Amino acid sequence: MEELLDPALGAVRVFLVHDDNKARKLRYNLGPARILTFGGAYSGHIRAVAAAGLRHGFETIGVIRGEEHLPLNPSLAYAVACGMRLDYLDRAAYRLKQTPETQARLRERWGDVAILPEGGSNAAAVRGCAELPGELDGDYDVICCPVGTGGTLAGISAGLPEGRRALGFAVLKGAGFLTGEVARLQREAYGRAWSNWSINLDYHFGGYARTTPALDAFIAKYRVEGVYVAKMLYGILDLVRQGAFPGGTRIVAVVTGQPLTSVAECGAPTGLDSGEPRWRR
C-alpha cells in the first residue's frame, strides 16, 4: 500500500491500493462460450471483456450506447482488435437494455449468449470483489471506493473482517438508487445484505464524467484519474477536514482501474459512461 501524504489529513492516514476491479468482476463470470455485455463508447468494462475473450478463447459481443461512429475511437478499436463484435442501441433503447424484451431481441440476433450487465456488476462480480479485503496487508478501519454500478462496494463490504466498514463515493448525480442496488447485489450473491457500508452522494461534481474547476485542480495536483478516483479522494480529504474521521483512523482508498487503454489515449473518460440507472424490476 502507498500512503497518501497531505498535511490536510492531520492524524488520519490514507493508504492507496491500486486494484483492477474490472478483472475481479469478471473472474467468476468467465466460462460461457459467448458473452454479451453493455457499455458506452469508452467503457473500460467493454475493453476488459474483449481482452478476456481473446485471452481465454470465448466469443464477445459489446452492445454500445448510441450510434456507430467511424472510424472507431481507440477504446472500441481495441475491443474489435481483441475479436469483439459490436452492436449499437440508441439512447432510448439502451435505457431498456435489462428488460426481458430487449434481451430477447438481442438473443434472437446473437444466439445463445450469457448476458452481463453494464459495468459487469452481478452476483458473480460481487464474489470476485469480496476477495479484495483479504488480500490487504496491514491494519485499517475503513475501505473507500468509487461507486458506479455498486458491484465493487457490494463485494468489498461482504469481504470485510469484523469491525471494519466500507464507504463508497457515488460518481453519478442522483445516485440514491445505488443504496438499494448494493443491497440487492449482496442478497443475490450471498442471500443477505450487510450493514457495514454506506454511500456518500455529495461528490459527483455535477454527474458522471462532469467536472468543476476545483476537481480539475485536484486532478492536476494528485495526477489521478478524474471520473472515478479523483472524486473519491477529493471526498475523503474533504470529509477529513470536516472531522468526519477521528484522529488515528486508517483509511484504505481503492484506486480502481483497468489500464488496457489509457484515458489520455482515449481522449475521453473510461468506464461506465451512460450515467443512467439500470432497469430495475
Side-chain angles (χ1 to χ4, degrees):
M1 292 191 288
E2 170 192 356
E3 186 165 7
L4 176 65
L5 301 176
D6 191 298
L9 291 172
V12 175
R13 301 182 70 184
V14 175
F15 300 89
L16 307 180
V17 172
H18 295 262
D19 189 79
D20 184 359
N21 65 325
K22 304 295 185 190
R24 287 190 185 276
K25 287 181 176 182
L26 288 177
R27 180 174 299 168
Y28 299 116
N29 273 302
L30 302 183
R34 181 184 296 153
I35 289 179
L36 179 148
T37 194
F38 305 89
Y42 292 92
S43 170
H45 170 66
I46 288 289
R47 297 198 311 276
V49 171
L54 177 64
R55 186 177 307 118
H56 298 287
F58 60 87
E59 296 180 49
T60 57
I61 298 102
V63 180
I64 310 303
R65 179 176 63 97
E67 306 297 330
E68 180 181 27
H69 294 284
L70 297 175
L72 296 174
N73 67 44
S75 188
L76 293 182
Y78 176 88
V80 169
C82 288
M84 176 175 275
R85 291 178 288 174
L86 301 182
D87 201 351
Y88 295 85
L89 292 176
D90 63 44
R91 291 172 183 269
Y94 192 83
R95 283 193 289 269
L96 302 174
K97 58 189 173 298
Q98 292 298 120
T99 62
E101 294 79 10
T102 297
Q103 296 200 357
R105 287 195 293 271
L106 288 170
R107 284 193 165 93
E108 183 178 353
R109 173 173 171 79
W110 292 105
D112 185 17
V113 294
I115 296 180
L116 297 188
E118 183 179 41
S121 290
N122 59 11
V126 171
R127 292 193 291 271
C129 292
E131 296 177 352
L132 172 59
E135 298 173 8
L136 297 177
D137 296 323
D139 194 19
Y140 60 90
D141 303 293
V142 183
I143 296 184
C144 296
C145 68
V147 181
T149 56
T152 299
L153 177 61
I156 287 174
S157 160
L160 282 178
E162 192 69 29
R164 277 46 166 213
R165 62 189 178 95
L167 173 61
F169 289 84
V171 302
L172 309 175
K173 185 178 181 180
F177 72 94
L178 285 170
T179 298
E181 191 75 350
V182 171
R184 179 188 68 81
L185 286 166
Q186 290 185 331
R187 286 192 294 268
E188 288 188 0
Y190 297 104
R192 56 161 292 194
W194 278 257
S195 60
N196 60 358
W197 60 273
S198 59
I199 301 177
N200 186 294
L201 305 176
D202 297 333
Y203 298 96
H204 56 74
F205 292 88
Y208 185 84
R210 300 290 180 86
T211 188
T212 66
L215 184 63
D216 287 337
F218 186 89
I219 293 168
K221 177 179 179 179
Y222 291 97
R223 299 179 62 82
V224 292
E225 182 273 330
V227 179
Y228 291 91
V229 177
K231 292 180 178 182
M232 170 189 66
L233 291 179
Y234 190 105
I236 292 171
L237 287 170
D238 196 45
L239 290 175
V240 169
R241 294 187 192 98
Q242 296 175 34
F245 300 103
T249 300
R250 295 169 62 92
I251 300 171
V252 170
V254 181
V255 178
T256 56
Q258 185 256 349
L260 291 174
T261 307
S262 70
V263 174
E265 181 181 349
C266 287
T270 60
L272 170 74
D273 61 356
S274 72
E276 298 166 347
R278 288 183 285 155
W279 179 78
R280 298 184 294 282
R281 290 180 292 275

